[in-house]
Amino acid sequence: MSLDTPPSYADTPTLLIKIFGKDRPGITAGLFDTLAAYAVEVVDIEQLVTRGRITLNALVTSPSPAIATEGEVRATVHGWAESMKLEAEIISGTGDNKPRGTGRSHVTVLGHPLTAESTAAITASITSTGGNIDRIFRLAKYPVLAVEFDISGAETGALRTALALEGVRRGVDVAVMSSGLRRRARQLVVMDVDSTLIQDEVIELFAAYADCADEVAEVTARAMRGELDFAQSLRARVELLAGLDASVVEKVRRDVRLTPGARTLIRTLKRLGYQVGVVSGGFTQVTDPLQEELGLDFAAANTLEIVDGKLTGRLTGGIVDRAGKARLLRRFAAEAGLPLAQTVAIGDGANDLDMLNTAGLGVAFNAKPVVREAVDTSVNVPFLDTVLYLLGITREEVEAADGQDAGTLAAEERLRLGTGGQEDERTGGAVAGAPH
């Protein structure tokens, strides 16, 4: 048979061998060593271990009549399984799996917790769109339970619409992406800063030192009511900072708190060869140190004007607004040599919508309802590293990579659980310029 021609088992008698029991080393090798005596061909294998129990499925061709009968194979496999204190089931049939239906998608479900009721509703919605669940795989068990479903037979857009509605009803996050090589390709990830990469709104941190927090909040409220656009509201709020001593900049940097999981997200993406950037309606006086500290490839924000050691209440250069964020995403992608289809944008506010809808994947992170309704994917748990699961990266892969850095994982998990440490993303401590 030519290597260019895939083997066809359509009319070939086959045996589906299913092995169950307590997992231990050597089971898979033992089964196939037993089958080797009958010169069968392997058509398919799948193995899963859950709470120490193994489920091993092997689809093999039936033995040639010149070598043995199916009955002899059955007796041998059952005998081997009994000797290993395992259970075996053997089903005769013809051929391989049926071809998967057209329209293939990955569905990622994040639950905190994931209940049986919500799982039943999500899977019923998949079926209602004509989709078939081909495979289910747990990506992570903490800080949220993340499960991925491989789906065939349903159009991705219809599946996304149905599951988004069901996810909202059930209080779980559901992301639907088309299957394909692009998901595995190296990508560019661009994040908003305020209330996304960090837990704070930087203008509010400055306002606290200028003793004008209430006035800034009122301008923000006017913008949210539509009385001011972003540029107008930003200028109005910055004007309230006029006369503030420039030494406050360093204080604000120390006050900034990374969102839980931010370091893990960026560190993991960088290890995988992704490029990572931020765009912010905030200020370069804060984003520049973050870029250096976190090793970001790109950063853009507004710049506060400082003259004679004082904030003037004005900005220098152009304003990074809603349209500007989308333009910067395109620019970063061009500089990275990547198509927009291989970009991911993460943000929480209406000011991020153009960017979220320009990217290949837009993720609304703990976003306002108007933002969640306008994008395909949302994450509503307070851990930024859960975005990794949407990209098909498992928690085990993250931990294995962290294990290469002595002590990193243990330290971060102690902090996640609140058992030690004060200056890390998971406890909300100061980060800008902090040691790590």
Side-chain angles (χ1 to χ4, degrees), residues 50 57 145 187 293 297 305 354 363 428:
T50 304
N57 294 325
L145 184 71
Q187 300 183 51
E293 179 187 348
D297 299 283
E305 183 182 67
D354 288 3
V363 180

Side-chain angles (χ1 to χ4, degrees), residues 250-331:
E250 188 58 37
K251 296 177 182 177
V252 168
R253 289 173 181 167
R254 290 197 298 268
D255 290 343
V256 165
R257 301 166 300 163
L258 286 176
T259 297
R263 290 187 190 277
T264 301
L265 172 66
I266 294 169
R267 181 175 63 245
T268 303
L269 292 174
K270 297 292 289 181
R271 282 173 173 159
L272 292 171
Y274 284 55
Q275 296 192 56
V276 184
V278 293
V279 291
S280 176
F283 311 112
T284 57
Q285 282 84 355
V286 170
T287 59
D288 287 352
L290 285 173
Q291 180 179 15
E292 181 178 358
E293 179 187 348
L294 299 173
L296 302 174
D297 299 283
F298 305 99
N302 304 299
T303 300
L304 294 167
E305 183 182 67
I306 299 175
V307 176
D308 297 330
K310 302 286 185 181
L311 274 64
T312 65
R314 296 187 296 271
L315 300 168
T316 63
I319 288 183
V320 177
D321 57 7
R322 175 169 169 168
K325 288 187 174 185
R327 284 195 301 271
L328 286 162
L329 173 68
R330 293 189 185 95
R331 193 187 86 191

Side-chain angles (χ1 to χ4, degrees), residues 28-360:
T28 307
L31 173 62
F32 286 98
D33 186 53
T34 301
L35 293 171
Y38 299 100
V40 298
E41 295 181 21
V42 177
V43 180
D44 196 3
I45 310 173
E46 188 168 89
Q47 179 174 304
L48 178 67
V49 177
T50 304
R51 209 179 66 181
R53 307 290 292 184
I54 188 172
T55 301
L56 170 60
N57 294 325
L59 184 64
V60 300
T61 57
S62 295
S64 166
I67 297 176
T69 65
E70 280 192 10
E72 290 173 314
V73 175
R74 287 173 177 271
T76 301
V77 170
H78 279 291
W80 168 81
E82 185 176 349
S83 72
M84 296 289 289
K85 294 183 171 54
L86 299 167
E87 297 180 37
E89 179 183 0
I90 304 174
I91 304 171
S92 299
T94 302
D96 193 356
N97 301 317
K98 293 181 179 179
R100 294 177 63 191
T102 57
R104 300 181 184 181
S105 306
H106 298 288
V107 174
T108 306
V109 179
L110 307 179
H112 191 56
L114 182 62
T115 66
E117 181 182 16
S118 59
T119 304
I122 293 296
T123 52
S125 289
I126 292 171
T127 302
S128 71
T129 65
N132 184 71
I133 301 173
D134 300 318
R135 183 172 180 262
I136 305 174
F137 180 73
R138 186 178 71 181
L139 294 167
K141 58 184 177 182
Y142 69 92
V144 298
L145 184 71
V147 181
E148 181 171 282
F149 298 78
D150 286 351
I151 309 298
S152 62
E155 196 273 321
T156 299
L159 191 62
R160 180 179 290 131
T161 299
L163 293 183
L165 294 172
E166 196 61 57
V168 170
R169 282 195 289 266
R170 302 295 171 176
V172 298
D173 297 329
V174 184
V176 181
M177 285 163 281
S178 296
S179 180
L181 291 176
R182 279 180 175 169
R183 192 183 189 216
R184 298 182 178 90
R186 293 179 180 179
Q187 300 183 51
L188 166 68
V189 177
V190 176
M191 290 175 275
D192 173 43
V193 175
D194 291 12
S195 298
T196 299
L197 177 65
I198 66 174
Q199 300 177 53
D200 312 281
E201 293 289 330
V202 171
I203 186 69
E204 294 177 1
L205 296 179
F206 276 103
Y209 286 104
D211 198 24
C212 61
D214 291 342
E215 293 90 335
V216 165
E218 173 56 29
V219 175
T220 301
R222 289 181 61 196
M224 293 182 67
R225 292 194 297 266
E227 297 172 11
L228 299 171
D229 64 22
F230 177 79
Q232 291 173 319
S233 68
L234 179 63
R235 288 193 176 96
R237 286 176 289 180
V238 170
E239 284 177 6
L240 295 169
L241 306 180
L244 196 61
D245 193 274
S247 63
V248 167
V249 169
E250 188 58 37
K251 296 177 182 177
V252 168
R253 289 173 181 167
R254 290 197 298 268
D255 290 343
V256 165
R257 301 166 300 163
L258 286 176
T259 297
R263 290 187 190 277
T264 301
L265 172 66
I266 294 169
R267 181 175 63 245
T268 303
L269 292 174
K270 297 292 289 181
R271 282 173 173 159
L272 292 171
Y274 284 55
Q275 296 192 56
V276 184
V278 293
V279 291
S280 176
F283 311 112
T284 57
Q285 282 84 355
V286 170
T287 59
D288 287 352
L290 285 173
Q291 180 179 15
E292 181 178 358
E293 179 187 348
L294 299 173
L296 302 174
D297 299 283
F298 305 99
N302 304 299
T303 300
L304 294 167
E305 183 182 67
I306 299 175
V307 176
D308 297 330
K310 302 286 185 181
L311 274 64
T312 65
R314 296 187 296 271
L315 300 168
T316 63
I319 288 183
V320 177
D321 57 7
R322 175 169 169 168
K325 288 187 174 185
R327 284 195 301 271
L328 286 162
L329 173 68
R330 293 189 185 95
R331 193 187 86 191
F332 293 166
E335 292 178 11
L338 294 171
L340 285 172
Q342 286 174 223
T343 63
V344 179
I346 310 168
D348 73 298
N351 199 38
D352 300 312
L353 272 174
D354 288 3
M355 176 179 72
L356 296 177
N357 288 317
T358 297

